[in-house]
Amino acid sequence: MKPRVAIVAPGAMGSAIGHRLNEHGFHVLTSLIGRSDASVQRARRCGMHHRPDGELAHADIFLSIVPPAEAIGLARRFAPLFKEHGRAPVYVDCNAVNPRTAEEIAHIVLDSGAAFVDGGIIGGPPRPATPGPALYCSGPAAAAVTALREGSLRVRVLSEELSAASALKMSYAGITKGLVALASTMMLGASRNGTAQALYEELAESQPHLLKHFSRTVPDMFGKAYRWVAEMEEIAAFLAPDECGQRFFESAARLYERLARDDGAGRADIDALSAFLAQESRPSPAQAPRVST
């Protein structure tokens, strides 16, 4: 018999995972309390069933998929219910938090009597005809999550080290989302200094793979910037005591914070980035052979 799965919350990632599990015969529960109409409709389309918190606490596997800043709060919300009902799920924290935060969440969950698994999702929400993201898991109870492989989820067990999945997630997201922050910062610098066209053409000529990558990832970031603020702060904390690395990701957090603001500065930067990437290379005059530097 397939385990009952609770997913909180039914955002873009949570609802897509819920949909895939539902397609493979899993009974998927969620909480729609305080969710927008769009989220409610999305969850229903994905076959997710609303249940009160007390019933969610009786699931076999509980996937916490929320913005990083909400991860501790969600564990505190459900821990008393796990303790009260005496039948607790395997609680999988799938959020982009640093290992110390993961260990704090583990303490809250384990104290309730539930089992804890540290998780890290790498990749975008699962879509039809694609393998979907990888859910990395670690900790003594991680093997229990492999039951979700029957739902066509790519569950990968790292080790029994409690926070290994979070360490991997921080490292990977630091590269991918840090690169988006770096690219955005330099595109804005070129735009402010009148060299946007020249930078675009140089990238098109010497780094076409990077330009293609940025043309996809930078615009895709605009609607997610508000969620990436806390994630950059978690990565900064992960890098302690490397002060240089910490400052880089603290600055990335402030960049995403600015881009997420609905004000003149944020809008102007998004417009500038969009204009940069909307350019086309102009034919350049013949030049002498270049020497790479």
Side-chain angles (χ1 to χ4, degrees), residues 1-271:
M1 193 172 188
K2 292 178 179 175
R4 283 166 34 112
V5 180
I7 299 178
V8 181
M13 179 65 77
S15 60
I17 288 177
H19 188 215
R20 178 155 292 188
L21 291 174
N22 177 67
E23 287 182 322
H24 288 79
F26 283 77
H27 190 56
V28 184
L29 311 177
T30 193
S31 172
L32 298 177
I33 296 172
R35 303 297 297 184
S36 67
D37 288 342
S39 292
V40 171
Q41 294 305 317
R42 178 172 57 221
R44 289 174 176 166
R45 285 195 305 270
C46 292
M48 304 173 79
H49 306 278
H50 170 68
R51 293 292 186 271
D53 286 3
E55 190 168 341
L56 295 179
H58 282 278
D60 299 300
I61 297 176
F62 188 110
L63 302 181
S64 168
I65 307 177
V66 295
E70 299 175 19
I72 293 176
L74 188 69
R76 287 175 175 159
R77 170 179 158 187
F78 279 93
L81 296 175
F82 299 152
K83 184 176 292 188
E84 176 185 340
H85 292 291
R87 181 182 179 277
V90 175
Y91 188 100
V92 189
D93 185 86
C94 304
N95 305 301
V97 297
N98 78 73
R100 284 181 293 281
T101 303
E103 289 164 6
E104 182 177 351
I105 295 169
H107 178 76
I108 294 168
V109 172
L110 292 170
D111 189 55
S112 74
F116 176 82
V117 174
D118 182 32
I121 300 173
I122 293 182
R127 293 181 175 84
T130 68
L135 172 56
Y136 287 90
C137 297
S138 64
V145 190
T146 60
L148 300 184
R149 290 173 180 166
E150 291 187 41
S152 194
L153 290 186
R154 295 194 297 154
V155 179
R156 297 176 177 173
V157 176
L158 281 175
S159 70
E160 291 196 355
E161 185 69 30
L162 189 66
S163 57
S166 285
L168 174 62
K169 173 65 176 180
M170 293 289 94
S171 303
Y172 183 88
I175 293 172
T176 56
K177 294 170 184 176
L179 185 58
V180 172
L182 177 60
S184 298
T185 298
M186 301 320 297
M187 289 175 191
L188 289 171
S191 298
R192 294 188 191 105
N193 289 277
T195 56
Q197 180 71 34
L199 176 60
Y200 184 93
E201 291 179 357
E202 179 58 39
L203 288 171
E205 181 180 348
S206 62
Q207 305 289 339
H209 55 295
L210 280 180
L211 182 58
K212 181 179 179 180
H213 179 72
F214 297 148
S215 295
R216 176 179 58 83
T217 57
V218 172
D220 187 57
M221 166 269 293
F222 297 156
K224 305 173 183 177
Y226 75 98
R227 297 206 317 260
W228 289 9
V229 175
E231 189 166 345
M232 295 301 102
E233 292 171 341
E234 289 289 332
I235 295 171
F238 166 67
L239 290 174
D242 178 1
E243 293 184 6
C244 293
Q246 286 185 292
R247 285 197 296 269
F248 177 87
F249 283 98
E250 286 165 357
S251 296
R254 303 290 75 78
L255 169 69
Y256 290 136
E257 188 174 60
R258 188 174 78 237
L259 293 173
R261 287 203 307 262
D262 187 17
D263 62 12
R267 187 71 256 170
D269 282 348
I270 287 177
D271 289 345

